[in-house]
Amino acid sequence: MIALLLRDLRLGVRAGGGFGLGLAFFLIVTVLVPFSVGPESGLLGQIAPGILWLGALLACLLSLDRILALDWEDGSLDLLATAPLPMEGIVSIKALAHWITTGLPLVLVAPALGVLLNLPGPGYLWVTVSLLIGTPALSVIGTFGAALTVGIKRGGLLLSLLVLPLYVPTLIFGAEVARRGAGGLDVATPLTMLAGITFGVIALLPFASAAVLRINLR
């Protein structure tokens, strides 16, 4: 499992692996928002938590089709299916590698980009916390979507259509945590819901992803 994780990390960091693409997209979204809504600092501060969360979600979406597609194309997925590792472990490792190369960099860079959106002082901590808790769910859900569409030619659009509705609860509660934290309000309820979603998908979706992959590989 460690060897598989290191292999996927190397593939993710290489050119075309989605590592720099997600960060670049996140930066572009954050820079363009002030141009579209105007320079009013109060308005930017109000919408900053939601914009940061939406940008992070879309940045994660960009690299989902590469989670399993490359392994399908070169035959590695068939070899992994015959390996002693359970398929549930394989998809979990791939989701972890996607989070480390895509989700974690977004978490680290979000506070810096919050400066461009005039994010209120207390919001920096809660944006980081909410993204740290919520982005693993995005990677796990995305891996499930990638398993559903593996082997389909030009399945990127279909993957986006399948995954985006599943992302909505995470987006709602993640942005709500950041918004309430930025406003100095109580974050206990949305934070608990966000953590529940993340732990729930981590516990359940690897089994669903493995079952789908077994069907697709027959």
Side-chain angles (χ1 to χ4, degrees), residues 4-136:
L4 179 60
L5 176 61
L6 294 177
R7 169 185 174 272
D8 284 353
L9 290 177
R10 286 194 295 268
L11 291 175
V13 173
R14 288 177 184 172
F19 173 73
L21 182 63
L23 288 177
F25 183 83
F26 195 24
L27 175 62
I28 290 171
V29 170
T30 307
V31 170
L32 290 181
V33 165
F35 291 105
S36 63
V37 302
E40 186 179 347
S41 60
L43 177 60
L44 286 176
Q46 291 178 2
I47 67 174
I51 294 299
L52 289 172
W53 249 98
L54 181 60
L57 184 150
L58 296 176
C60 285
L61 191 66
L62 287 178
S63 58
L64 291 183
D65 59 337
R66 307 186 67 85
I67 295 178
L68 295 170
L70 296 179
D71 291 328
W72 172 271
E73 293 171 359
D74 63 10
S76 299
L77 196 57
D78 294 316
L79 295 177
L80 290 173
T82 60
L85 290 175
M87 187 62 74
E88 292 80 4
I90 292 172
V91 295
S92 297
I93 288 297
K94 288 192 169 292
L96 176 60
H98 179 268
W99 179 75
I100 292 176
T101 57
T102 303
L104 185 57
L106 297 177
V107 173
L108 297 177
V109 78
L113 296 182
V115 177
L116 300 177
L117 298 174
N118 197 35
L119 183 68
Y124 290 95
L125 172 63
W126 290 111
V127 165
T128 304
V129 170
S130 63
L131 287 173
L132 186 63
I133 296 175
T135 48

